[in-house]
Amino acid sequence: MSQRQFRLPDLGEGLTDADVVRWLVQVGDSVTVNQPLVEVETAKAVVEIPSPFAGVLVEIHGEAGSTMAVGAPLLTIQTADAGQPADEPAAAALAPPAAAPGSDCGTAGGGTAGGGTAGGGRLPVSRDAGAGERVPVLVGYGPRQGQQRHRSPRRQAAPGPAHGSGPGRAGGAVLAKPPVRKLARDLGVDLTGITGTGPDGTISRDDVQAAVRTTARAVPAPVPAAQPTAPSATVALDAMPPAPRRIGAVPADAAFSTTTGAWHVPVTGLRRSMAQAMVASVTAAPHVTEFLSVDVTATMATRERVAALPEFAGIKVTPLLFVAKALLVAAHRHPMINSRWIEDAGAGRAEIQVPDLVNLGIAVAGPRGLVVPNIPDAGRLDLVGLARALAGLTGSARADRLDPANLRGGTITITNVGVLGVDVGTPILNPPEAAILALGSIRPMPWVHDGQLTVRTVVQLALSFDHRIVDGELGAAVLADVGAMLTDPTLTLAWS
């Protein structure tokens, strides 16, 4: 018997710490490979960390609510693997358990290919038995087909006809990322009964949600007691309305103090990250905001025609889609609006970076606060692809199902305050981006059209920008382009 300690990994986000949300196991519990152990909240998302090896949990090094540095000891597990090192590096949380002798799976003292991690370890690799190719191994994945010699034994999957179809997964690992495992647990889905449709049989969110819908359709819908139960009645999960969210309610993690007579809300994780980002934004970047009222009557008519096309069947077509497309075209016409200010204070120099791609950020009010996920290389998408990406991104954000990767690398942002019934606002830059566009509410208003006073559908836009990069002329040109394309959608086609 030996004790193996592993440390908080960097989770692939480049962050320095994380807050322990809750432990899913207790000291004395037996744990298996890939069993979820703890939920931690970073500045970007809630992440579930699975166990890299099996054994008995003997020590927990961070209590719920505490902040832990990347590389700090997370927990200690007593295993039956004699001869294993007692101290497991941070990368162990990403490694498979005991590898076969002579394999490349690294430990604290073993050398591996690839870069180091925050805890001093290295990302383990596995050899391809056929071609000698090294392939990184992550918990929940394991080697590709033909690399089974590195895969540790795991429990057999129980048969589960209620979830998934096709052959069972007996004798194999359950291949799923931590966020997918969390989603499955929240929905009460047994992953061992699902056949994954991803690479190498990886289970995706869509697989989990499809399993829930399959089960829901088989459950008889409740009916009043006075009426006979209709055998064919079923519950359609997709039609069930989401639970209402109280805007401005005291968060669930707040604690009431009789001494102060107030609720105390911890400023950790996403709250802390957003607060720091907003303070840095308004103190470091000189904001300028320009406003424009736009007649979008033609765009709203185009929206109805587009929504009726077969290609858009099942896709919610919103005004945001056309605003996003217009901003992407404007950024292509005026590349400097899609830039960022990078400063090296120690060296006393700065530069402006202009990315070749537009990663379009969309500000969304999620359960844990404001988040700004982005659509990578959004300019490459056609209108159908952009509509799907917007729907998927905002839906995941509101359901708190974003992956950390969704929240990195944005280059320009849209915030839709109109959905809250607000005419317009002064948006704050999402650092280090140079510009953010606010979309106000769309409503009928008096308007002079063709020399006559009439009622038209009007929206107000506000563009905030970093005046170190963007001068008033460039800001006005971008805002005018967006307004022109919303007034006459044919310009979007002409300028694309």
Side-chain angles (χ1 to χ4, degrees):
M1 305 289 286
S2 62
Q3 291 190 359
R4 301 179 67 183
Q5 178 187 91
F6 75 97
R7 308 170 186 272
L8 179 66
D10 67 5
L11 306 173
E13 303 174 55
L15 300 173
T16 58
D17 56 36
D19 301 312
V20 178
V21 177
R22 62 169 178 151
W23 285 95
L24 308 176
V25 291
Q26 298 178 347
V27 172
D29 288 353
S30 295
V31 298
T32 58
V33 174
N34 280 347
Q35 177 181 343
L37 300 179
V38 61
E39 287 181 356
V40 299
E41 181 181 17
T42 70
K44 303 200 178 277
V46 173
V47 179
E48 190 178 78
I49 298 180
S51 177
F53 36 74
V56 177
L57 181 63
V58 296
E59 187 175 3
I60 287 174
H61 299 285
E63 298 299 325
S66 63
T67 300
M68 300 186 66
V70 168
L74 185 62
L75 52 81
T76 302
I77 294 177
Q78 182 171 291
T79 73
D81 300 328
Q84 294 294 333
D87 185 27
E88 193 74 15
L94 303 177
S103 75
D104 290 309
C105 296
T107 61
T112 62
T117 64
R122 295 178 181 272
L123 184 67
V125 297
S126 174
R127 290 188 184 276
D128 187 317
E133 177 186 2
R134 292 172 178 259
V135 181
V137 179
L138 305 181
V139 162
Y141 287 87
R144 299 180 183 273
Q145 295 295 331
Q147 298 171 325
Q148 300 297 330
R149 63 180 187 187
H150 289 295
R151 182 170 291 167
S152 298
R154 294 176 173 88
R155 61 175 181 171
Q156 289 191 344
H163 301 306
S165 59
R169 305 179 63 81
V174 174
L175 310 182
K177 293 181 180 180
V180 176
R181 294 175 181 275
K182 179 179 185 300
L183 174 63
R185 189 181 68 252
D186 293 343
L187 297 178
V189 174
D190 181 9
L191 288 177
T192 59
I194 298 179
T195 299
T197 60
D200 298 328
T202 303
I203 298 173
S204 66
R205 292 185 185 279
D206 290 341
D207 294 331
V208 173
Q209 292 163 347
V212 174
R213 289 193 292 269
T214 300
T215 303
R217 283 192 286 269
V219 177
V223 295
Q227 300 178 6
T229 302
S232 60
T234 58
V235 175
L237 184 69
D238 292 341
M240 297 173 66
R245 183 173 65 90
R246 290 179 56 199
I247 299 175
V250 176
D253 57 348
F256 185 80
S257 169
T258 56
T259 303
T260 62
W263 291 93
H264 293 232
V265 181
V267 180
T268 59
L270 182 62
R271 291 192 193 103
R272 180 177 59 197
S273 175
M274 289 304 301
Q276 292 171 343
M278 293 301 97
V279 170
S281 177
V282 298
T283 55
H287 283 57
V288 173
T289 306
E290 295 179 340
F291 302 88
L292 182 66
S293 296
V294 181
D295 178 359
V296 293
T297 306
T299 288
M300 298 306 288
T302 301
R303 169 179 168 264
E304 293 182 3
R305 294 196 296 271
V306 166
L309 295 174
E311 293 83 356
F312 288 83
I315 305 175
K316 187 175 183 181
V317 179
T318 67
L320 178 62
L321 171 62
F322 297 90
V323 176
K325 184 64 175 178
L327 182 59
L328 289 169
V329 174
H332 178 71
R333 286 165 56 84
H334 310 282
M336 285 297 293
I337 200 68
N338 184 58
S339 59
R340 51 189 174 228
W341 181 278
I342 304 298
E343 189 163 354
D344 186 346
R349 62 173 180 266
E351 69 175 5
I352 299 171
Q353 295 181 359
V354 187
D356 190 44
L357 306 177
V358 179
N359 298 337
L360 181 62
I362 305 295
V364 183
R368 297 185 300 124
L370 180 68
V371 291
V372 189
N374 69 82
I375 303 171
D377 194 9
R380 80 187 189 283
L381 300 173
D382 59 14
L383 201 62
V384 175
L386 186 59
R388 291 185 188 277
L390 286 171
L393 203 66
T394 55
S396 295
R398 289 175 181 141
D400 199 19
R401 297 199 307 267
L402 288 171
D403 289 331
N406 298 134
L407 297 159
R408 295 196 300 266
T411 60
I412 193 168
T413 295
I414 298 176
T415 177
N416 187 3
V417 298
V419 295
L420 305 175
V422 176
D423 286 340
V424 78
T426 304
I428 297 176
L429 293 171
N430 184 30
E433 298 171 18
I436 179 172
L437 177 69
L439 169 65
S441 60
I442 299 173
R443 61 183 63 189
M445 292 183 65
W447 194 264
V448 176
H449 178 68
D450 291 339
Q452 300 293 322
L453 182 63
T454 185
V455 175
R456 302 285 286 181
T457 304
V458 177
V459 69
Q460 293 188 54
L461 305 174
L463 181 71
S464 289
F465 48 86
D466 185 341
H467 215 356
R468 294 173 299 181
I469 306 173
V470 182
D471 57 22
E473 181 182 33
L474 173 56
V478 170
L479 191 57
D481 274 6
V482 172
M485 285 181 275
L486 294 178
T487 299
D488 183 1
T490 59
L491 291 177
T492 306
L493 179 62
W495 292 346
S496 295

